Amino acid sequence: MNKKILVPLVTPFREDESVDYEMLKKLVRYELDSGADGLYVGGSSAECFLLTAEERKKVLETAVRAADGAFVVANIGSIGTAVAEDFAAHAAKAGADVISSVPPFYFAFSFSEIASYYCDLVKKTGLPMMIYNIPSNTHAKFGLGDLESLLAEEGMDYMKFTDTDYFMLEQLKSHTGKFIYSGKDEDFLSALAAGADGGIGTTFNFMVGRFVEIQKLYKEGKMSEAKEVQHGANELVRAVCDCGLIASVKYMLELLGYPCGGARRPFAKLTDEKKKYLKEKAVREKLL
């Protein structure tokens, strides 16, 4: 499989916070033309839990059509199985290649309950599942044995691993052979060294080419060069994280000619001071 670098699309908004579907189409083409192997649609970067169900479905439909046959992963996550099954059935109908979900959160579900949630979604559609392991956000901290047993279930073909436990990543890859994406932009090179097959990261939205280059250099054994590119990327990662990740990523896209609005409330708007800092950083790191 060569779908190694996936962009988790942001959701473009107009001034009134309505979804700008025309800009979404342009953004899809920009990412694919910039070297992305595919798209991760409707995830955290898309502010999925701040969208209505209708918006989530229309965003996916729009992205799939604009992708024109490119690889698309649809995030269908919810804290309830029935709601997620509805999103999953829609994703299959819309033409997604893979479904993905964070573990159901908030109610502190047991591991067996979470495993049943994933298995039910695969059964609903027949599409392969990408498990989204992000314990810092979901507070679902699984042991190595738990994740190995979950990946052994039928249809659990992928994992987005957004954590820095690279011992666990190495063991999961070596013991299961499943396709593992790193979800930590700032640690992408480290994750590759631990066995990750590819990456999915929010900052890919405005600098996907740098991560394509890191993977290429790593594969060629050019570690010094790969570290240099990772360092440059990390300067920008740090800047957007310091200013508010999603709103800042959207501002970087605006600087590149793809205005995507701000982040939806209750996220705060970027101040003029933060915009000035981000623009200066983008110039210094040769993004512009």
Side-chain angles (χ1 to χ4, degrees):
M1 174 179 173
N2 195 34
K3 311 303 182 186
K4 294 183 177 180
I5 303 294
L6 308 184
V7 175
L9 291 173
V10 298
T11 302
F13 292 132
R14 301 185 184 90
E15 187 64 29
D16 63 358
E17 293 191 359
S18 62
V19 178
D20 188 341
Y21 293 102
E22 290 305 310
M23 181 53 63
L24 178 61
K25 294 175 189 176
K26 294 177 183 177
L27 187 60
V28 167
R29 296 315 317 169
Y30 167 70
E31 303 299 357
L32 294 172
D33 292 344
S34 296
D37 296 316
L39 307 168
Y40 186 99
V41 180
S44 306
S45 304
E47 303 167 69
C48 59
F49 298 118
L50 303 181
L51 302 179
T52 67
E54 181 182 357
E55 287 172 332
R56 288 180 69 174
K57 291 178 179 180
K58 189 172 179 180
V59 163
L60 177 62
E61 292 166 5
T62 302
V64 169
R65 285 196 298 269
D68 194 25
F71 186 72
V72 173
V73 179
N75 173 49
I76 49 83
S78 174
I79 63 171
T81 302
V83 175
E85 283 181 331
D86 178 60
F87 284 130
H90 172 263
K93 184 177 180 180
D97 298 286
V98 175
I99 54 174
S100 179
S101 177
V102 295
F105 51 89
Y106 186 78
F107 287 110
F109 297 103
S110 68
F111 174 73
S112 62
E113 289 169 331
I114 290 171
S116 294
Y117 165 87
Y118 280 116
C119 290
D120 286 345
L121 294 176
V122 170
K123 291 174 184 175
K124 183 70 176 181
T125 64
L127 289 176
M129 168 65 71
M130 182 184 294
I131 299 162
Y132 188 176
N133 183 46
I134 182 169
S136 62
N137 285 37
T138 63
H139 306 294
K141 185 69 175 178
F142 302 130
L144 177 57
D146 290 333
L147 291 178
E148 287 178 338
S149 67
L150 184 54
L151 283 168
E153 295 284 349
E154 185 176 357
M156 308 300 165
D157 293 349
Y158 308 91
M159 175 175 283
K160 183 183 179 190
F161 189 89
T162 306
D163 198 359
T164 53
D165 187 342
Y166 293 123
F167 166 71
M168 177 179 281
L169 191 159
E170 185 278 330
Q171 290 286 287
L172 287 173
K173 181 61 186 179
S174 62
H175 289 184
T176 70
K178 298 301 176 71
F179 201 100
I180 298 180
Y181 289 94
S182 167
K184 284 283 189 180
D185 309 30
E186 65 274 27
D187 291 332
F188 182 51
L189 182 58
S190 300
L192 290 175
D197 299 285
I200 305 171
T202 305
T203 64
F204 289 21
N205 275 277
F206 67 87
M207 56 173 172
V208 66
R210 300 196 181 198
F211 293 93
V212 171
E213 182 68 7
I214 291 168
Q215 182 132 34
K216 176 177 176 291
L217 291 169
Y218 174 78
K219 186 177 179 180
E220 293 172 353
K222 299 177 180 178
M223 291 300 295
S224 295
E225 292 92 333
K227 285 170 64 178
E228 184 177 349
V229 179
Q230 180 74 72
H231 170 70
N234 283 358
E235 290 295 301
L236 292 166
V237 170
R238 180 176 179 179
V240 297
C241 287
D242 284 348
C243 293
L245 178 60
I246 295 175
S248 297
V249 167
K250 287 184 167 184
Y251 181 64
M252 291 299 202
L253 284 167
E254 180 179 335
L255 293 176
L256 292 170
Y258 295 87
C260 292
R264 187 170 274 184
R265 294 172 296 167
F267 283 121
K269 291 184 177 181
L270 288 178
T271 63
D272 289 341
E273 182 181 10
K274 287 182 177 179
K275 288 182 179 180
K276 181 175 182 290
Y277 167 72
L278 288 168
K279 187 172 183 179
E280 289 173 349
K281 198 73 171 177
V283 171
R284 189 177 307 124
E285 296 302 325
K286 300 180 180 178
L287 182 68
L288 301 179

